[in-house]
Amino acid sequence: MRSYPPSHVHKPESVDRVDDKKATGPQGKIRSINHLTAAVVGVEVAKLAQCQAEALAALLNVAPEVGLRPRAASDIRTDLEVGLVAMAGAGCGDGGDWPFSADEAYADSSALLAELGWAAGFMDDDGCAGELLPPLDPPPATPAGSVDGAGASSTSTDDGATPEAADADGKPATTTEAASKPAPGKTTKGQKRARQPRFAFMTKTEIDHLEDGYRWRKYGQKAVKNSPFPRSYYRCSNSKCTVKKRVERSSDDPSIVITTYEGQHCHYTVTFPRGASAATLAGQIAFSAHHHLLYNDLPPLHSPTAQNPLFCRPVLSSMLLPQHCNRQELQVASYSTQPSSVMSLPTSVPAVDKGLLDDMVPPVMRHG
DNA sequence: CGCATTTGACCTGCGC
DNA sequence: GCGCAGGTCAAATGCG
Ligand SMILES: [Zn+2]
Protein backbone atom coordinates (compact mmCIF):
# COMPACT_ATOMS: atom_id res chain seq x y z
CA MET A 1 0.00 0.00 0.00
CA ARG A 2 2.85 2.27 -0.28
CA SER A 3 4.88 3.48 -3.08
CA TYR A 4 8.49 2.68 -2.89
CA PRO A 5 11.08 5.05 -4.07
CA PRO A 6 13.77 3.76 -6.31
CA SER A 7 15.32 2.65 -3.13
CA HIS A 8 18.83 1.54 -3.67
CA VAL A 9 21.75 3.09 -2.09
CA HIS A 10 20.25 5.17 0.51
CA LYS A 11 22.64 6.88 2.68
CA PRO A 12 23.10 5.26 6.00
CA GLU A 13 21.94 7.54 8.66
CA SER A 14 22.04 7.62 12.32
CA VAL A 15 20.03 4.92 13.80
CA ASP A 16 18.70 6.36 16.91
CA ARG A 17 15.29 6.20 15.57
CA VAL A 18 12.42 4.70 17.31
CA ASP A 19 11.37 2.67 14.44
CA ASP A 20 13.46 1.55 11.62
CA LYS A 21 12.50 4.33 9.39
CA LYS A 22 15.77 4.45 7.75
CA ALA A 23 18.96 2.75 7.29
CA THR A 24 19.72 1.32 4.06
CA GLY A 25 23.20 0.70 3.25
CA PRO A 26 25.22 0.15 0.24
CA GLN A 27 24.47 -3.14 -1.23
CA GLY A 28 27.64 -4.82 -2.12
CA LYS A 29 28.09 -7.55 -4.54
CA ILE A 30 29.17 -10.99 -3.87
CA ARG A 31 32.57 -11.69 -5.10
CA SER A 32 34.37 -14.67 -3.93
CA ILE A 33 34.12 -17.61 -1.70
CA ASN A 34 37.71 -17.26 -0.95
CA HIS A 35 37.04 -14.35 1.24
CA LEU A 36 34.82 -16.29 3.43
CA THR A 37 36.99 -19.30 3.37
CA ALA A 38 39.83 -17.31 4.61
CA ALA A 39 37.63 -15.67 7.10
CA VAL A 40 36.65 -18.92 8.56
CA VAL A 41 40.17 -19.98 8.72
CA GLY A 42 41.44 -16.78 10.06
CA VAL A 43 38.94 -16.56 12.73
CA GLU A 44 40.30 -19.00 15.12
CA VAL A 45 43.72 -17.78 14.66
CA ALA A 46 42.99 -14.22 15.30
CA LYS A 47 41.07 -14.94 18.37
CA LEU A 48 43.42 -17.40 19.76
CA ALA A 49 46.64 -15.73 19.22
CA GLN A 50 46.74 -12.93 16.78
CA CYS A 51 49.37 -14.68 14.84
CA GLN A 52 47.34 -14.07 11.74
CA ALA A 53 49.88 -14.41 9.08
CA GLU A 54 51.60 -17.51 10.21
CA ALA A 55 48.47 -19.06 11.49
CA LEU A 56 46.65 -18.50 8.30
CA ALA A 57 49.40 -20.04 6.37
CA ALA A 58 49.37 -22.99 8.62
CA LEU A 59 45.67 -23.31 8.47
CA LEU A 60 45.68 -23.18 4.78
CA ASN A 61 47.43 -26.43 4.83
CA VAL A 62 44.37 -27.87 6.29
CA ALA A 63 41.85 -26.37 4.00
CA PRO A 64 42.81 -28.21 0.84
CA GLU A 65 42.08 -31.49 2.43
CA VAL A 66 38.53 -30.58 2.90
CA GLY A 67 38.04 -29.09 -0.43
CA LEU A 68 38.89 -25.56 0.42
CA ARG A 69 41.04 -23.80 -1.99
CA PRO A 70 42.09 -20.56 -0.60
CA ARG A 71 44.64 -18.65 -2.42
CA ALA A 72 48.08 -18.13 -1.21
CA ALA A 73 48.21 -17.15 2.37
CA SER A 74 49.79 -13.90 1.46
CA ASP A 75 46.92 -13.00 -0.80
CA ILE A 76 44.38 -13.74 1.76
CA ARG A 77 46.12 -11.75 4.29
CA THR A 78 45.67 -8.73 2.20
CA ASP A 79 42.04 -9.35 1.67
CA LEU A 80 41.15 -9.99 5.17
CA GLU A 81 43.22 -9.95 8.16
CA VAL A 82 40.96 -10.18 11.04
CA GLY A 83 38.77 -13.02 11.90
CA LEU A 84 36.75 -13.90 14.81
CA VAL A 85 34.48 -16.68 15.64
CA ALA A 86 32.41 -17.15 18.61
CA MET A 87 29.25 -18.87 19.32
CA ALA A 88 26.26 -18.28 21.38
CA GLY A 89 24.32 -21.42 21.44
CA ALA A 90 20.79 -21.65 22.47
CA GLY A 91 21.96 -23.26 25.58
CA CYS A 92 23.94 -20.23 26.39
CA GLY A 93 20.81 -18.49 27.25
CA ASP A 94 21.24 -16.21 24.35
CA GLY A 95 24.20 -14.92 26.03
CA GLY A 96 26.28 -13.52 23.40
CA ASP A 97 25.26 -11.84 20.42
CA TRP A 98 27.02 -9.63 18.23
CA PRO A 99 27.39 -6.34 17.92
CA PHE A 100 30.89 -6.37 18.78
CA SER A 101 33.22 -3.96 17.31
CA ALA A 102 36.53 -4.82 15.88
CA ASP A 103 38.26 -3.72 19.01
CA GLU A 104 35.94 -5.51 21.25
CA ALA A 105 35.89 -8.67 19.36
CA TYR A 106 38.46 -10.32 21.44
CA ALA A 107 36.91 -9.36 24.63
CA ASP A 108 33.58 -10.58 23.52
CA SER A 109 34.83 -13.83 22.27
CA SER A 110 36.60 -14.39 25.49
CA ALA A 111 33.48 -13.82 27.35
CA LEU A 112 31.61 -16.18 25.20
CA LEU A 113 34.18 -18.81 25.43
CA ALA A 114 34.21 -18.48 29.09
CA GLU A 115 30.52 -18.83 29.20
CA LEU A 116 30.73 -21.88 27.17
CA GLY A 117 33.15 -23.34 29.55
CA TRP A 118 36.04 -23.09 27.26
CA ALA A 119 38.14 -21.08 29.49
CA ALA A 120 41.42 -22.41 30.67
CA GLY A 121 41.21 -25.95 31.67
CA PHE A 122 39.31 -26.82 28.64
CA MET A 123 42.06 -25.85 26.42
CA ASP A 124 44.69 -27.97 25.05
CA ASP A 125 47.82 -28.67 26.85
CA ASP A 126 49.18 -25.95 24.71
CA GLY A 127 47.78 -23.69 27.26
CA CYS A 128 46.90 -21.09 24.76
CA ALA A 129 43.69 -20.51 26.56
CA GLY A 130 45.38 -18.98 29.45
CA GLU A 131 46.71 -16.14 27.46
CA LEU A 132 43.64 -15.46 25.51
CA LEU A 133 41.04 -16.07 28.04
CA PRO A 134 41.79 -14.22 31.14
CA PRO A 135 40.12 -15.48 34.22
CA LEU A 136 36.58 -14.46 34.37
CA ASP A 137 34.11 -14.21 37.07
CA PRO A 138 32.13 -17.35 37.27
CA PRO A 139 28.79 -16.81 35.69
CA PRO A 140 26.00 -16.84 38.16
CA ALA A 141 23.92 -19.88 37.89
CA THR A 142 20.90 -19.05 35.94
CA PRO A 143 17.56 -20.47 36.59
CA ALA A 144 16.33 -22.71 33.94
CA GLY A 145 18.14 -22.50 30.75
CA SER A 146 16.48 -24.41 28.07
CA VAL A 147 19.54 -26.04 26.78
CA ASP A 148 19.10 -27.11 23.32
CA GLY A 149 21.90 -25.81 21.29
CA ALA A 150 24.38 -28.33 20.19
CA GLY A 151 27.21 -26.07 20.88
CA ALA A 152 26.19 -25.62 24.40
CA SER A 153 25.39 -29.19 24.91
CA SER A 154 27.46 -29.40 27.95
CA THR A 155 27.20 -25.92 29.19
CA SER A 156 24.07 -24.08 29.80
CA THR A 157 25.83 -21.03 30.89
CA ASP A 158 23.88 -17.93 30.74
CA ASP A 159 24.43 -14.49 29.53
CA GLY A 160 24.38 -13.02 32.91
CA ALA A 161 28.09 -12.66 32.90
CA THR A 162 28.44 -11.39 29.46
CA PRO A 163 29.08 -7.75 29.94
CA GLU A 164 31.19 -8.14 32.96
CA ALA A 165 33.08 -11.00 31.56
CA ALA A 166 34.25 -8.96 28.71
CA ASP A 167 35.53 -6.55 31.19
CA ALA A 168 38.07 -8.95 32.35
CA ASP A 169 40.10 -7.66 29.55
CA GLY A 170 39.67 -4.17 30.64
CA LYS A 171 37.50 -3.46 27.72
CA PRO A 172 33.88 -2.84 28.11
CA ALA A 173 31.95 -5.23 26.04
CA THR A 174 29.86 -2.36 24.96
CA THR A 175 26.93 -3.81 23.25
CA THR A 176 27.07 -7.41 23.94
CA GLU A 177 23.51 -8.03 23.30
CA ALA A 178 22.49 -9.74 26.44
CA ALA A 179 18.99 -9.87 25.33
CA SER A 180 17.36 -13.08 24.62
CA LYS A 181 15.83 -13.92 21.37
CA PRO A 182 12.70 -12.05 20.82
CA ALA A 183 11.53 -13.86 17.86
CA PRO A 184 8.00 -13.08 17.21
CA GLY A 185 8.44 -16.71 16.70
CA LYS A 186 5.40 -18.77 16.63
CA THR A 187 6.87 -21.45 18.65
CA THR A 188 4.82 -22.00 21.65
CA LYS A 189 3.08 -19.16 23.22
CA GLY A 190 4.94 -17.81 26.09
CA GLN A 191 7.83 -20.01 25.35
CA LYS A 192 10.91 -18.46 24.06
CA ARG A 193 12.04 -19.76 20.79
CA ALA A 194 15.22 -21.63 21.21
CA ARG A 195 18.03 -19.81 19.60
CA GLN A 196 20.24 -21.75 17.35
CA PRO A 197 23.90 -21.83 17.87
CA ARG A 198 25.61 -19.02 16.15
CA PHE A 199 28.97 -17.99 15.10
CA ALA A 200 30.29 -14.96 13.42
CA PHE A 201 33.00 -14.05 11.06
CA MET A 202 34.79 -10.83 10.85
CA THR A 203 36.00 -10.33 7.38
CA LYS A 204 38.06 -7.51 6.19
CA THR A 205 36.69 -6.87 2.80
CA GLU A 206 34.98 -4.35 0.68
CA ILE A 207 32.34 -6.79 -0.26
CA ASP A 208 29.22 -6.55 1.77
CA HIS A 209 27.81 -9.86 0.98
CA LEU A 210 30.24 -12.67 0.67
CA GLU A 211 29.22 -15.61 -1.36
CA ASP A 212 29.14 -18.76 0.61
CA GLY A 213 27.59 -21.23 -1.74
CA TYR A 214 24.10 -21.00 -0.45
CA ARG A 215 21.25 -18.92 -1.63
CA TRP A 216 19.91 -16.39 0.74
CA ARG A 217 16.81 -14.36 0.80
CA LYS A 218 16.96 -11.05 2.49
CA TYR A 219 14.08 -10.54 4.82
CA GLY A 220 15.01 -7.46 6.65
CA GLN A 221 17.35 -4.67 7.26
CA LYS A 222 17.75 -2.69 10.37
CA ALA A 223 19.67 0.29 11.41
CA VAL A 224 22.20 -0.53 14.03
CA LYS A 225 22.57 1.62 17.01
CA ASN A 226 25.76 3.58 17.11
CA SER A 227 26.62 2.48 13.69
CA PRO A 228 26.16 4.19 10.38
CA PHE A 229 25.86 0.85 8.73
CA PRO A 230 22.67 -1.12 8.59
CA ARG A 231 22.41 -4.75 9.43
CA SER A 232 20.91 -7.08 6.91
CA TYR A 233 19.00 -10.20 7.74
CA TYR A 234 19.03 -13.19 5.46
CA ARG A 235 17.34 -16.52 5.49
CA CYS A 236 18.37 -19.55 3.56
CA SER A 237 16.34 -19.77 0.40
CA ASN A 238 15.70 -23.40 0.98
CA SER A 239 12.24 -23.48 2.42
CA LYS A 240 13.10 -26.39 4.60
CA CYS A 241 16.17 -24.75 5.92
CA THR A 242 16.00 -22.41 8.84
CA VAL A 243 19.48 -21.07 8.74
CA LYS A 244 19.76 -17.36 9.05
CA LYS A 245 22.53 -14.94 8.85
CA ARG A 246 23.11 -11.34 9.62
CA VAL A 247 25.51 -9.14 7.86
CA GLU A 248 26.73 -5.87 9.12
CA ARG A 249 29.71 -3.70 8.81
CA SER A 250 31.73 -2.81 11.78
CA SER A 251 31.25 0.76 12.81
CA ASP A 252 34.72 0.91 14.20
CA ASP A 253 36.33 -0.41 11.13
CA PRO A 254 34.14 -0.05 8.07
CA SER A 255 36.41 -2.34 6.21
CA ILE A 256 35.29 -5.20 8.37
CA VAL A 257 32.16 -7.09 7.66
CA ILE A 258 30.63 -9.12 10.40
CA THR A 259 28.63 -12.08 9.29
CA THR A 260 26.73 -14.02 11.86
CA TYR A 261 25.28 -17.38 11.02
CA GLU A 262 22.58 -19.05 12.99
CA GLY A 263 21.45 -22.57 12.60
CA GLN A 264 22.57 -25.37 10.44
CA HIS A 265 21.68 -26.19 6.90
CA CYS A 266 19.74 -29.33 6.31
CA HIS A 267 20.92 -29.54 2.78
CA TYR A 268 24.01 -29.13 0.82
CA THR A 269 25.38 -26.11 -0.88
CA VAL A 270 24.09 -25.24 -4.26
CA THR A 271 27.51 -24.91 -5.69
CA PHE A 272 29.56 -27.36 -3.82
CA PRO A 273 32.38 -27.96 -3.85
CA ARG A 274 33.40 -24.78 -5.47
CA GLY A 275 31.32 -22.79 -3.18
CA ALA A 276 30.65 -24.11 0.19
CA SER A 277 28.66 -22.23 2.68
CA ALA A 278 30.33 -20.67 5.57
CA ALA A 279 28.59 -23.18 7.65
CA THR A 280 29.82 -25.99 5.56
CA LEU A 281 33.22 -24.56 5.29
CA ALA A 282 33.44 -24.08 8.93
CA GLY A 283 32.19 -27.52 9.45
CA GLN A 284 34.65 -28.87 7.05
CA ILE A 285 37.45 -27.09 8.63
CA ALA A 286 36.32 -28.16 11.96
CA PHE A 287 36.03 -31.64 10.75
CA SER A 288 39.36 -31.50 9.21
CA ALA A 289 40.85 -30.52 12.45
CA HIS A 290 38.62 -32.91 14.15
CA HIS A 291 39.72 -35.76 12.10
CA HIS A 292 43.22 -34.86 12.67
CA LEU A 293 42.48 -35.00 16.23
CA LEU A 294 40.76 -38.28 16.00
CA TYR A 295 42.74 -40.16 13.53
CA ASN A 296 45.88 -38.35 12.91
CA ASP A 297 45.61 -39.13 9.29
CA LEU A 298 48.01 -36.47 8.46
CA PRO A 299 51.52 -35.89 9.43
CA PRO A 300 52.01 -33.52 12.27
CA LEU A 301 53.14 -30.87 9.93
CA HIS A 302 49.67 -30.57 8.54
CA SER A 303 48.11 -30.24 11.82
CA PRO A 304 47.18 -26.76 12.74
CA THR A 305 48.04 -27.44 16.24
CA ALA A 306 51.38 -28.72 15.35
CA GLN A 307 52.25 -25.72 13.37
CA ASN A 308 50.70 -23.32 15.70
CA PRO A 309 51.18 -23.92 19.30
CA LEU A 310 48.60 -21.30 19.84
CA PHE A 311 46.04 -23.09 17.86
CA CYS A 312 43.71 -24.94 20.06
CA ARG A 313 41.99 -27.80 18.46
CA PRO A 314 39.34 -28.29 21.02
CA VAL A 315 38.16 -24.81 20.55
CA LEU A 316 38.14 -24.99 16.85
CA SER A 317 36.15 -28.13 16.75
CA SER A 318 33.73 -27.33 19.42
CA MET A 319 33.11 -23.90 18.16
CA LEU A 320 32.45 -24.71 14.62
CA LEU A 321 31.09 -28.15 14.54
CA PRO A 322 27.81 -27.83 16.29
CA GLN A 323 26.34 -25.41 13.90
CA HIS A 324 27.00 -27.23 10.76
CA CYS A 325 26.71 -30.81 11.53
CA ASN A 326 23.72 -32.89 11.85
CA ARG A 327 22.65 -34.80 14.82
CA GLN A 328 25.17 -37.45 14.34
CA GLU A 329 27.89 -34.96 14.05
CA LEU A 330 26.83 -33.19 17.09
CA GLN A 331 27.70 -36.20 18.97
CA VAL A 332 31.12 -36.08 17.58
CA ALA A 333 31.28 -32.45 18.30
CA SER A 334 30.78 -33.09 21.89
CA TYR A 335 33.64 -35.41 21.80
CA SER A 336 35.79 -32.86 20.25
CA THR A 337 35.50 -30.75 23.29
CA GLN A 338 36.86 -33.54 25.30
CA PRO A 339 39.98 -34.83 23.77
CA SER A 340 40.09 -37.60 26.21
CA SER A 341 36.80 -38.94 25.06
CA VAL A 342 37.82 -38.72 21.53
CA MET A 343 40.33 -41.33 21.96
CA SER A 344 37.70 -43.71 23.00
CA LEU A 345 35.80 -43.36 19.82
CA PRO A 346 35.39 -46.46 17.78
CA THR A 347 37.90 -46.74 15.04
CA SER A 348 35.42 -47.93 12.54
CA VAL A 349 34.93 -44.52 11.22
CA PRO A 350 34.92 -43.58 7.60
CA ALA A 351 38.07 -42.28 6.12
CA VAL A 352 38.58 -38.61 6.30
CA ASP A 353 38.13 -37.63 2.75
CA LYS A 354 34.92 -39.39 2.00
CA GLY A 355 33.91 -39.42 5.52
CA LEU A 356 33.86 -35.72 5.56
CA LEU A 357 31.01 -35.45 3.22
CA ASP A 358 29.17 -38.20 4.84
CA ASP A 359 29.66 -36.65 8.15
CA MET A 360 28.62 -33.26 7.07
CA VAL A 361 25.52 -34.15 5.19
CA PRO A 362 23.68 -37.38 5.24
CA PRO A 363 23.30 -38.88 1.79
CA VAL A 364 19.63 -38.32 1.96
CA MET A 365 20.05 -34.65 2.29
CA ARG A 366 22.59 -34.17 -0.37
CA HIS A 367 21.68 -31.79 -3.06
CA GLY A 368 18.88 -31.00 -0.88
C1' DC B 1 5.93 -15.84 -13.71
C1' DG B 2 8.78 -16.88 -9.94
C1' DC B 3 11.90 -15.32 -6.84
C1' DA B 4 14.60 -11.77 -4.47
C1' DT B 5 14.61 -7.24 -2.50
C1' DT B 6 12.81 -3.26 -0.23
C1' DT B 7 11.02 -1.24 3.74
C1' DG B 8 7.46 0.32 7.14
C1' DA B 9 4.97 -1.97 10.57
C1' DC B 10 4.81 -5.04 14.12
C1' DC B 11 6.49 -8.00 17.90
C1' DT B 12 9.33 -9.05 21.88
C1' DG B 13 12.59 -8.38 25.53
C1' DC B 14 15.01 -5.31 28.43
C1' DG B 15 16.36 -1.28 31.12
C1' DC B 16 14.88 2.64 33.53
C1' DG C 1 4.52 1.30 32.17
C1' DC C 2 7.24 3.42 28.64
C1' DG C 3 10.69 3.83 25.36
C1' DC C 4 14.34 1.70 22.97
C1' DA C 5 16.58 -1.64 20.18
C1' DG C 6 16.82 -6.01 17.88
C1' DG C 7 14.49 -9.08 15.04
C1' DT C 8 10.72 -10.53 11.84
C1' DC C 9 6.73 -10.05 8.83
C1' DA C 10 4.67 -9.17 4.63
C1' DA C 11 2.94 -6.28 0.80
C1' DA C 12 4.77 -3.87 -2.93
C1' DT C 13 8.13 -3.77 -6.22
C1' DG C 14 12.01 -5.09 -9.19
C1' DC C 15 14.38 -8.23 -12.06
C1' DG C 16 15.66 -12.12 -15.06
ZN1 LIG D 1 20.16 -23.83 4.11
Side-chain angles (χ1 to χ4, degrees):
Chain A
M1 293 294 204
R2 13 171 203 275
S3 55
Y4 296 86
S7 63
H8 300 63
V9 196
H10 289 175
K11 176 177 59 82
E13 305 176 29
S14 91
V15 219
D16 298 317
R17 278 306 321 150
V18 174
D19 230 343
D20 12 337
K21 303 288 183 173
K22 30 191 86 176
T24 311
Q27 300 289 325
K29 282 296 178 182
I30 297 168
R31 197 160 61 177
S32 165
I33 181 71
N34 285 332
H35 289 73
L36 188 50
T37 301
V40 174
V41 173
V43 146
E44 298 296 335
V45 186
K47 176 174 50 55
L48 294 178
Q50 298 128 321
C51 51
Q52 299 159 359
E54 293 75 10
L56 270 175
L59 281 165
L60 291 177
N61 287 330
V62 180
E65 303 166 25
V66 294
L68 306 182
R69 280 268 158 219
R71 294 160 296 184
S74 54
D75 289 343
I76 289 178
R77 241 196 308 155
T78 59
D79 283 338
L80 36 101
E81 310 172 62
V82 183
L84 170 86
V85 160
M87 175 179 73
C92 302
D94 311 332
D97 202 348
W98 306 93
F100 46 59
S101 64
D103 292 339
E104 298 152 350
Y106 290 85
D108 271 359
S109 64
S110 295
L112 284 169
L113 288 173
E115 289 180 9
L116 290 171
W118 287 334
F122 223 146
M123 293 306 179
D124 221 49
D125 31 288
D126 296 292
C128 59
E131 311 169 14
L132 301 161
L133 303 176
L136 303 169
D137 295 324
T142 1
S146 58
V147 183
D148 153 274
S153 57
S154 57
T155 39
S156 57
T157 45
D158 61 290
D159 38 304
T162 305
E164 293 77 11
D167 248 6
D169 208 75
K171 293 179 180 178
T174 47
T175 25
T176 301
E177 173 188 357
S180 49
K181 179 44 157 294
K186 302 106 186 257
T187 7
T188 317
K189 41 194 139 199
Q191 184 173 2
K192 272 197 288 188
R193 187 177 76 184
R195 177 173 263 172
Q196 306 259 343
R198 288 182 291 173
F199 62 96
F201 302 96
M202 286 181 69
T203 307
K204 188 156 192 167
T205 173
E206 302 291 314
I207 314 326
D208 284 303
H209 191 180
L210 299 163
E211 181 177 1
D212 57 14
Y214 284 107
R215 294 180 62 187
W216 301 92
R217 173 164 38 217
K218 187 174 184 176
Y219 67 87
Q221 178 168 294
K222 286 282 297 188
V224 181
K225 189 172 188 239
N226 297 324
S227 173
F229 307 103
R231 173 184 299 151
S232 296
Y233 298 87
Y234 297 88
R235 217 193 306 271
C236 184
S237 291
N238 187 318
S239 58
K240 297 172 191 170
C241 186
T242 60
V243 175
K244 284 179 276 189
K245 79 170 178 179
R246 289 180 299 184
V247 178
E248 64 183 288
R249 206 166 266 285
S250 169
S251 57
D252 279 10
D253 186 348
S255 67
I256 293 179
V257 171
I258 301 171
T259 305
T260 306
Y261 288 85
E262 180 176 338
Q264 52 186 321
H265 292 280
C266 59
H267 57 98
Y268 220 58
T269 59
V270 294
T271 55
F272 190 83
R274 275 190 153 281
S277 78
T280 302
L281 287 174
Q284 289 175 329
I285 291 173
F287 256 93
S288 174
H290 187 64
H291 280 266
H292 288 151
L293 181 63
L294 291 178
Y295 312 111
N296 288 315
D297 292 332
L298 304 165
L301 280 179
H302 287 187
S303 165
T305 317
Q307 293 195 351
N308 286 286
L310 294 171
F311 199 101
C312 301
R313 284 174 302 185
V315 174
L316 175 69
S317 301
S318 56
M319 286 181 79
L320 297 180
L321 267 172
Q323 296 89 342
H324 318 301
C325 304
N326 296 296
R327 297 176 297 282
Q328 288 184 318
E329 283 63 64
L330 294 180
Q331 207 173 1
V332 180
S334 66
Y335 281 117
S336 69
T337 60
Q338 302 173 36
S340 56
S341 300
V342 170
M343 305 313 286
S344 64
L345 280 175
T347 54
S348 58
V349 194
V352 174
D353 284 336
K354 283 198 170 180
L356 263 177
L357 184 61
D358 289 335
D359 285 344
M360 292 302 298
V361 181
V364 196
M365 297 175 128
R366 306 259 181 85
H367 304 102

